[in-house]
Amino acid sequence: MSKDNNVNDTEAAPAVPEGQKDSLSSFVATLASFSGDLSSLTCPSFLLSSVSLLEYSQYWGDHPKLFASISKGENPEERLLNATRWFISTLYGSYSSRSTTAGMEKKPYNPVLGEQYFAQWTGDAETGDTVLKAEQVSHHPPIMGFHLENKKAGVILEGHCGQKSRFAMPAGIDVSQTGHAILSVPQFNEHYLITLPNLNIRGMVTGRPSVELSGTTYIVSSAGQMTTIEYSTKGYFSGERHSFKATLKPIEGGSAFYTAQGVWSGVSNYTNVKTNATSLFFDSDMDKSVAPELKPQAEMDDMESHKLWSQVTNAINSKDYSTASRVKAQIEEAQRALAKTRKEKGETQADALKVFELVSEDNDETGKAFQQLKNKLVEAVGVKALKEDDTKPHWRLRE
């Protein structure tokens, strides 16, 4: 298996390529006049990131040792602290790494229905292996399903994520992430509901987009505790971009037992409220992400991301944007033809899935855990705390 560093493009950020400035201006003008979800718009190829959005699921596993450490907490409070630290560690890769290494955020390919992504992090005798399986489980609306597991540590993450985007004045995009993740630690019979942050994409006019997080997310434990994470786009808490403040306390009220704050893309500290002792929480510079291991492309199925988009990726990396646009359009047109065929046969999107299956929440352990934790969250914070698609679907890994 090979290490995959493809998502973190280390090439220095170029200016808008010659010959593409008119394309950028036209795209920004289209954004400003478009009403509704922007995911249906075609982005100029020079703004594409040369990876599929489905591959972004790998960021859940960026720090496999932190993921495995969740089950090592001696009590529910420590396990929630460990889960919160791991979650914060995933944010840099997910939302800031490309701006840091390449100088700008680019738009990933929209995954096609049934597209697959598999990755593994081989650990040592203490940590164990961490395995990721992901699939695009819906195209309308676009939703990815993911399953991350470390069997030795006894930690499982599963869930789904979608995006709804809209134009934001003066020239940006606001993205509301729908869906959730459920973290399970079977040895303690604990489940954690994790909600997803809002994204604010700015810098479209200059052709150098970047992402900020905003709003509030939650990690709700079945043991009766909850982490509340507040994000600031203007450095309200620390005077720096990418700031956050986390409070860990009983979900039914009472005093916090831990707090954490700092920069989610850099350094943060946490405080044990009882002892007033402050220690390092997470440092993205010191604790570098671990690249996942992938199969050689020759061994991949045609629906695996790297193989499916390989010709588009090669063209973008060669700055052959016309070829990239043409091949990308061919892939998308082929998918429209498949969708038409499914409709004629009376099939649904679920019939196209190979890795995940659509199930009823009432007949699935994780689905039941989600319902219970969702109710606790809504009681504590309100209905706006969780953003789900109207149909409230639930997928699980096929056995």
Side-chain angles (χ1 to χ4, degrees):
M1 302 181 82
S2 61
K3 294 284 186 177
D4 177 34
N5 294 298
N6 198 32
V7 176
N8 293 332
D9 184 0
T10 57
E11 182 180 342
V16 178
E18 289 298 325
Q20 300 295 327
K21 293 182 180 180
D22 289 344
S23 178
L24 175 63
S25 298
S26 177
F27 180 62
V28 173
T30 301
L31 288 177
S33 61
F34 191 84
S35 61
D37 187 2
L38 300 177
S39 62
S40 60
L41 291 182
T42 299
C43 178
S45 292
F46 75 90
L47 284 178
L48 293 176
S49 68
S50 76
V51 295
S52 171
L53 180 62
L54 187 66
E55 297 177 55
Y56 283 27
S57 58
Q58 76 175 48
Y59 295 125
W60 290 113
D62 261 357
H63 297 274
K65 288 190 175 181
L66 292 182
F67 183 66
S69 74
I70 295 171
S71 60
K72 296 179 180 179
E74 295 184 358
N75 52 56
E77 291 77 15
E78 284 190 8
R79 289 191 287 276
L80 179 60
L81 179 68
N82 290 350
T84 304
R85 178 186 290 108
W86 159 76
F87 177 74
I88 292 297
S89 79
T90 70
L91 300 180
Y92 171 75
S94 297
Y95 308 115
S96 183
S97 60
R98 295 165 298 281
S99 293
T100 300
T101 59
M104 63 186 294
E105 181 70 39
K106 292 186 176 183
K107 182 183 181 300
Y109 314 137
N110 290 329
V112 304
L113 180 65
E115 182 177 332
Q116 304 159 10
Y117 183 68
F118 305 103
Q120 177 174 311
W121 293 260
T122 301
D124 53 28
E126 180 182 357
T127 303
D129 298 343
T130 303
V131 178
L132 170 71
K133 298 178 181 180
E135 184 176 30
Q136 190 71 8
V137 295
S138 173
H139 190 66
H140 295 293
I143 302 173
M144 71 171 77
F146 51 86
H147 182 103
L148 185 73
E149 182 171 5
N150 184 312
K151 290 185 177 180
K152 183 176 181 62
V155 184
I156 305 166
L157 180 81
E158 49 194 330
H160 65 270
C161 174
Q163 294 82 29
K164 294 182 178 179
S165 51
R166 63 179 181 84
F167 179 74
M169 293 294 290
I173 298 173
D174 287 347
V175 181
S176 175
Q177 296 198 98
T178 62
H180 62 271
I182 295 290
L183 179 70
S184 301
V185 187
Q187 68 190 87
F188 297 107
N189 193 29
E190 289 178 352
H191 299 280
Y192 303 77
L193 168 62
I194 301 172
T195 67
L196 308 173
N198 294 323
L199 314 181
N200 305 120
I201 303 173
R202 300 295 181 260
M204 296 299 301
V205 171
T206 62
R208 294 178 183 270
S210 61
V211 176
E212 284 276 8
L213 305 185
S214 64
T216 305
T217 63
Y218 305 92
I219 304 176
V220 185
S221 168
S222 59
Q225 295 86 27
M226 178 174 71
T227 298
T228 301
I229 307 173
E230 301 171 88
Y231 304 92
S232 171
T233 60
K234 298 180 180 180
Y236 179 82
F237 297 114
S238 67
E240 298 182 73
R241 294 178 65 214
H242 299 172
S243 300
F244 80 93
K245 182 176 182 180
T247 304
L248 289 70
K249 61 190 298 184
I251 193 170
E252 294 183 354
S255 301
F257 43 86
Y258 290 113
T259 61
Q261 67 180 59
V263 178
W264 53 261
S265 61
V267 179
S268 54
N269 296 296
Y270 78 99
T271 299
N272 183 323
V273 176
K274 184 176 181 179
T275 65
N276 204 34
T278 298
S279 305
L280 178 67
F281 192 51
F282 180 70
D283 184 340
S284 64
D285 289 329
M286 291 178 58
D287 194 349
K288 298 292 187 182
S289 62
V290 180
E293 303 159 21
L294 306 182
K295 294 180 296 186
Q297 186 171 304
E299 298 178 13
M300 291 182 179
D301 184 86
D302 290 344
M303 290 300 290
E304 293 190 48
S305 298
H306 275 214
K307 192 168 185 178
L308 175 67
W309 297 101
S310 59
Q311 293 185 52
V312 183
T313 297
N314 292 337
I316 290 176
N317 290 341
S318 300
K319 296 181 172 56
D320 184 355
Y321 301 118
S322 60
T323 297
S325 296
R326 175 175 54 80
V327 178
K328 179 173 175 288
Q330 290 173 351
I331 293 173
E332 293 167 344
E333 182 59 36
Q335 290 302 309
R336 283 190 281 270
L338 289 173
K340 180 180 179 181
T341 300
R342 279 195 303 273
K343 184 176 181 180
E344 291 171 349
K345 291 181 178 180
E347 296 177 347
T348 67
Q349 291 188 114
D351 293 315
L353 305 182
K354 305 297 183 184
V355 183
F356 288 78
E357 60 181 341
L358 182 63
V359 298
S360 169
E361 289 180 347
D362 296 333
N363 298 323
D364 180 71
E365 181 181 351
T366 304
K368 293 177 182 178
F370 165 66
Q371 289 290 347
Q372 294 170 357
L373 294 171
K374 180 189 73 172
N375 292 338
K376 288 185 178 181
L377 177 60
V378 170
E379 289 176 7
V381 181
V383 294
K384 293 183 178 181
L386 187 66
K387 298 180 289 294
E388 292 291 325
D389 290 293
D390 294 338
T391 54
K392 298 180 175 59
H394 183 71
W395 293 269
R396 70 178 175 199
L397 194 67
R398 291 184 185 273
E399 298 180 354

